[in-house]
Amino acid sequence: MNKKRLLVLSSPSGGGKSTIAKELMNTYSNLRFSVSATTRKPRAGEQNGVQYYFLGKEEFETKINKNQFVEYEEIFGNYYGTLKSEIDKAFFDSECLIFDVDVKGAMSVKQNYPEDALLLFIIPPDIDTLEKRLRSRSTETEEQIRLRLSRAELELAYQDKFDHIIVNDELDKAIKETVEFIGEKMEVRIDE
């Protein structure tokens, strides 16, 4: 069986994918985060090239026109996308990449890299739990929470297109299941 090198994590906003991704990168030494590009403004503490590549709208659209993205989408008025150069660099450096993208982005990565992509969908136990998580973050307005919940229902319809589903009802259990699953399916390693 061909071991994968691109791990795509998707979930509705508040599903826990960012927390799980951090644990995976702490576990596997050759797994690094794929830094996406975005036109949204940086949040407090975010640095260009670390959490995102922060681009102007015109610069982002130029890169779209030059076919420099594996996937991109406009969400809530901002562009988000994965640059092909991120994947090229990881392959050159013998690294595995972890992607934190929406469901459409996941489908694009799989379409462009069918032999290398492993798609994992993280779901909350139910919509009520998801709403509580979104509210507890205190980072969005009421309207943004409503939009995210509405989008979550659309995203959940894609779950059968993923290679594996993790129900994040108990974070430690979800992390353990994810670590074990990708340990079997990916070219990841633990350095002693």
Side-chain angles (χ1 to χ4, degrees):
M1 183 188 94
N2 175 36
K3 291 222 174 184
K4 311 292 184 179
R5 298 188 338 179
L6 305 175
L7 175 63
V8 182
L9 293 182
S10 289
S11 77
S13 185
K17 65 183 176 291
S18 298
T19 304
I20 291 172
K22 285 177 191 165
E23 286 298 318
L24 292 171
M25 289 184 295
N26 287 337
T27 303
Y28 295 111
S29 60
N30 67 325
L31 182 63
R32 77 168 175 83
F33 187 71
S34 173
V35 180
S36 297
T38 185
T39 57
R40 81 157 169 76
K41 299 292 180 218
R43 294 179 183 145
E46 289 183 330
Q47 296 176 303
N48 188 48
V50 178
Q51 288 81 14
Y52 286 96
Y53 295 110
F54 295 100
L55 307 177
K57 188 174 183 179
E58 189 175 304
E59 183 181 5
F60 200 105
E61 289 173 344
T62 297
K63 289 183 182 299
I64 291 171
N65 293 332
K66 290 183 176 180
N67 197 29
Q68 294 179 355
F69 286 101
V70 175
E71 58 82 28
Y72 71 90
E73 189 168 359
E74 189 172 0
I75 303 171
F76 306 125
N78 289 301
Y79 283 119
Y80 293 84
T82 302
L83 291 161
K84 291 178 179 177
S85 57
E86 274 289 290
I87 295 172
D88 294 343
K89 182 181 182 324
F91 284 177
F92 181 80
D93 294 340
S94 298
E95 294 178 319
C96 292
L97 283 182
I98 187 167
F99 297 82
D100 177 346
V101 296
D102 73 344
V103 293
K104 289 183 180 173
M107 297 303 112
S108 292
V109 173
K110 183 75 166 187
Q111 181 180 353
N112 284 287
Y113 298 91
E115 298 300 314
D116 286 298
L118 180 67
L119 275 56
L120 205 57
F121 197 66
I122 315 266
I123 61 171
D126 53 59
I127 291 292
D128 290 340
T129 301
L130 183 64
E131 183 174 355
K132 286 176 191 162
R133 289 177 186 170
L134 288 171
R135 292 187 184 287
S136 70
R137 296 194 312 194
S138 301
T139 56
E140 286 102 3
T141 65
E142 186 62 33
E143 181 182 346
Q144 288 171 320
I145 289 172
R146 222 175 352 80
L147 284 170
R148 291 192 187 282
L149 289 172
S150 173
R151 183 169 176 85
E153 291 179 19
L154 295 172
E155 291 175 328
L156 288 169
Y158 278 82
Q159 63 186 305
D160 64 333
K161 297 184 185 309
F162 283 73
D163 297 312
H164 192 68
I165 296 170
I166 304 280
V167 178
N168 182 10
D169 56 350
E170 198 178 303
L171 185 58
D172 289 341
K173 188 175 118 201
I175 290 169
K176 184 177 186 290
E177 183 181 345
T178 307
V179 166
E180 289 172 0
F181 182 75
I182 73 161
E184 294 172 10
K185 304 286 184 187
M186 295 190 66
E187 287 186 19
V188 288
R189 65 179 178 268
I190 299 173
D191 291 342
E192 299 297 322

